[in-house]
Amino acid sequence: MSSRENILAAVLKNQPPASPLPDIGFLKGNAVDVVAQYSGVFASIGGNVFLVKDLAAVDALIRENFDATKRIITTLPELGNSFELLSATADPHTFDDVEVAVIEAQLAVAENGAVWLPEQRMGQRIVPYICQHLVVVVAAETIVPTLHEAYGQIGLGQYGFGAFIGGPSKTADIEQALVMGAHGPITMTVLILDQVG
Amino acid sequence: MEKGMKDHAALAEAFINDEERVDWHDGALWWIRQKRDIASKQIPEWEDLRETASRIKNNVLSNLHDYLLQFEANATLNGIKVHWAADAEEHNAIVYSILKDKDIKQMVKSKSMLTEECHLNEYLIERGVDVINSDLGEYIQQLDNEPPSHIVLPCIHKRKEEIGEIFHEHLGTEKGVSDPTTLTRFARRHLRDVFITRRAALTGVNFAVAETGEYVVCTNEGNADMGAHLSEVQIASMGIEKIIPQKAHLGVFLRLLARSATGQPITIYSSHFKKPREGQEMHLILVDLGRSRQLGRVDFRDSLKCIKCGACMNTCPVYRKSGGLSYHNTIAGPIGAILAPNLDMKKHADLPFASTLCGSCSNVCPVKINIHDQLYQWRQVIVREGYAANTKVLGMKAMAWTLSSPTSYSTLGKAGRWVLNNIPFAVNNKFNPWYKQRDMPDGPKESFDVWYAKNNGHDSEKD
């Protein structure tokens, strides 16, 4: 017998009697002021967060906060006149010199500060990891209270890759001292697009 | 214990000799335990979450056969090549054959305790394949030729000055530099070159979803993704117990994992791998390595619910004061001590005894594993099977004989009291293991029997 058959046979023989799946429908968050909660949590995990009115304001904000003489790439067509539109077909290694990447999240989670990025929003899988600084635009109305609502919206998900990203890359491996920018971005900025406000 | 191999107590001895280091290690881990407490208290339904996670895992264990088949079918449909490995040797051979097929001689790895259990690095290095661990803590441990001492914080036992010395020796940083940010930046530049040049990347797996055939990898550093998204061959190694039934269940486990591990609201990166990138190969190896056997051990199968957060280690008074390396097992601490005897009962017979049975581990476990009960149960199995250390067996035999005979109990009690009171140096010496780290008590003046007879008589008079 192959290992596959051996393992499956041993598992079948040794597994305990059926135990039902619990209902998780009762798990949900409180939707009161998710923008404020998100902002507070994201700042507490070392992220920068700004409320912006429109994408024109995004352009200005990036120029103010980052070195625009270096390579800045984006997946947002509205910012295509200001920054390099990223190519979905380029070799991922060619993004090694990206200073800032500007992408848009599908949704964000108030309770933990994470944004959800399926690969279509990343442009290329490597982009949010290889850049020195990550900027994510989030529409205020897409912020949900907890991961339960987030997975409710994502559903089974039409993507080959997707990630929750909650803050700049960090490590505390050297004597528990928190250092931002282990391998991924040194900073992460979330711009909450509040077109109503 | 194998002959000639040091047990937990002997290995811990070197660590506890440096009292200042023990205090520091103890404090560092307790600080993380406190962060976990603060984070858990911010979730009003925390206990409901733990209970739900535990019940989901009960369902997983009772349907593991079907979930494995469902996962395999969906992952294959997604374009992932699924392999099965019964043991470490088979796992390592699969990894090597994938690399050999593509003529790849260098691989970058992100954290995976399973490949540590399999000794994959040594296996590949012997066959001419260079492997670099990219998690900073693991990288430091690899440079220092030591295994990780903690599953989440691999070099928690090292001081920054020691790490500075390792960087100086192996990477050429200036002597005396020990600032964490400076050292981390140096490693960042160095490892970026590694990520950019490696054609193959291997990651561990935190959760694999039967319903969708995708797997989730959680890191704070982003190293798993830097490796995976730049490689042409991506390999994931997972124990068969990492399956969860549905994608929605990730909401339960991801809320618990990072809060229990380090007190963070979520790990910075929770990456969901479903299909290979265009032009990339994606392999996934399902590894048994004793899991199916543990599933059949009724008293111990719950240990397979573990999501490897490390909370039980951070809270354990024995782990905090003896260091992870003293456990001589890939997974240290309380959970390691109930997983290890399943793999090799003789070699790990000492580990279930490295506990105070205080129950703190069970109280912080996010999936409610009854860790301290299982430690107690393993002790009984180990003694019954004849693997307990001779000193323990002889001590217990002597105790059983003494307690079963009132005459011997009385005589030995008298002798003991006399020794403690008249010649204390006979027990206050290094030949008495009980004297280590503690003072022996003064002997009571009279035995309990005498005291009871006296006092009971007194009470009777009053009645």
Side-chain angles (χ1 to χ4, degrees), chain B residues 345-377:
Chain B
M345 210 183 294
K346 191 177 173 192
K347 189 175 164 195
H348 299 122
D350 57 322
L351 296 184
F353 294 89
S355 168
T356 62
L357 302 182
C358 68
S360 186
C361 46
S362 305
N363 286 331
V364 297
C365 177
V367 291
K368 294 181 107 170
I369 302 171
N370 57 337
I371 305 174
H372 73 294
D373 292 331
Q374 293 192 37
L375 287 165
Y376 178 60
Q377 282 160 327

Side-chain angles (χ1 to χ4, degrees), chain B residues 358-420:
Chain B
C358 68
S360 186
C361 46
S362 305
N363 286 331
V364 297
C365 177
V367 291
K368 294 181 107 170
I369 302 171
N370 57 337
I371 305 174
H372 73 294
D373 292 331
Q374 293 192 37
L375 287 165
Y376 178 60
Q377 282 160 327
W378 264 127
R379 292 182 183 188
Q380 296 168 56
V381 173
I382 284 162
V383 172
R384 202 163 57 231
E385 302 283 321
Y387 293 125
N390 279 338
T391 47
K392 283 197 178 77
V393 174
L394 289 174
M396 280 189 279
K397 277 189 178 155
M399 190 58 89
W401 178 78
T402 311
L403 294 177
S404 64
S405 150
T407 321
S408 63
Y409 179 74
S410 163
T411 314
L412 285 168
K414 203 172 170 187
R417 283 190 300 281
W418 189 84
V419 167
L420 285 169

Side-chain angles (χ1 to χ4, degrees), chain A residues 96 101 144 162:
Chain A
D96 188 30
V144 295

Side-chain angles (χ1 to χ4, degrees), chain A residues 34 104-109 121 137-145 153:
Chain A
V34 285
E104 190 176 18
Q106 184 183 326
L107 55 84
V109 183
R121 304 271 180 141
V137 178
V138 176
E141 65 269 21
T142 67
I143 303 179
V144 295
Q153 288 197 18

Side-chain angles (χ1 to χ4, degrees), chain A residues 37-52:
Chain A
Q37 192 191 358
Y38 180 88
S39 305
V41 172
F42 193 66
S44 78
I45 55 182
N48 306 310
V49 58
F50 296 96
L51 286 172
V52 292

Side-chain angles (χ1 to χ4, degrees), chain B residues 198-436:
Chain B
R198 293 307 187 261
R199 292 167 56 207
L202 185 146
T203 73
V205 170
N206 290 85
F207 306 98
V209 185
E211 178 186 40
T212 57
E214 72 197 288
Y215 62 92
V216 176
V217 182
C218 303
T219 72
N220 279 320
E221 298 182 2
N223 56 317
D225 293 279
M226 282 294 279
H229 304 317
L230 290 170
S231 69
E232 62 181 75
V233 177
Q234 184 183 341
I235 306 171
S237 296
M238 65 174 269
I240 54 173
E241 82 285 11
K242 291 289 174 78
I243 297 265
I244 61 168
Q246 298 163 10
K247 186 148 174 191
H249 296 141
L250 285 169
V252 175
F253 290 105
L254 291 181
R255 285 181 85 192
L256 287 165
L257 178 64
R259 288 186 174 95
S260 299
T262 55
Q264 293 171 251
I266 188 169
T267 48
I268 306 296
Y269 302 103
S270 305
S271 297
H272 300 48
F273 293 93
K274 197 188 221 170
K275 297 174 182 170
R277 202 176 69 237
E278 187 82 19
Q280 187 196 36
E281 261 183 34
M282 195 183 265
H283 296 264
L284 183 137
I285 312 172
L286 287 161
V287 186
D288 184 346
L289 193 59
R291 271 97 174 146
S292 64
R293 183 173 54 234
Q294 187 86 328
L295 191 62
R297 296 189 197 271
V298 179
D299 290 339
F300 306 111
R301 64 165 57 117
D302 267 18
S303 61
L304 297 172
K305 292 177 173 179
C306 177
I307 57 171
K308 305 281 158 60
C309 68
C312 61
M313 302 177 185
N314 302 339
T315 200
C316 177
V318 177
Y319 176 91
R320 282 188 275 119
K321 295 187 176 90
S322 62
L325 296 175
S326 64
Y327 288 79
H328 59 83
N329 184 50
T330 306
I331 316 280
I335 186 69
I338 57 177
L339 291 171
N342 170 57
L343 295 173
D344 188 337
M345 210 183 294
K346 191 177 173 192
K347 189 175 164 195
H348 299 122
D350 57 322
L351 296 184
F353 294 89
S355 168
T356 62
L357 302 182
C358 68
S360 186
C361 46
S362 305
N363 286 331
V364 297
C365 177
V367 291
K368 294 181 107 170
I369 302 171
N370 57 337
I371 305 174
H372 73 294
D373 292 331
Q374 293 192 37
L375 287 165
Y376 178 60
Q377 282 160 327
W378 264 127
R379 292 182 183 188
Q380 296 168 56
V381 173
I382 284 162
V383 172
R384 202 163 57 231
E385 302 283 321
Y387 293 125
N390 279 338
T391 47
K392 283 197 178 77
V393 174
L394 289 174
M396 280 189 279
K397 277 189 178 155
M399 190 58 89
W401 178 78
T402 311
L403 294 177
S404 64
S405 150
T407 321
S408 63
Y409 179 74
S410 163
T411 314
L412 285 168
K414 203 172 170 187
R417 283 190 300 281
W418 189 84
V419 167
L420 285 169
N421 290 323
N422 295 290
I423 48 164
F425 54 86
V427 285
N428 292 350
N429 62 53
K430 65 181 166 119
F431 296 106
N432 173 15
W434 192 251
Y435 180 63
K436 276 188 193 172

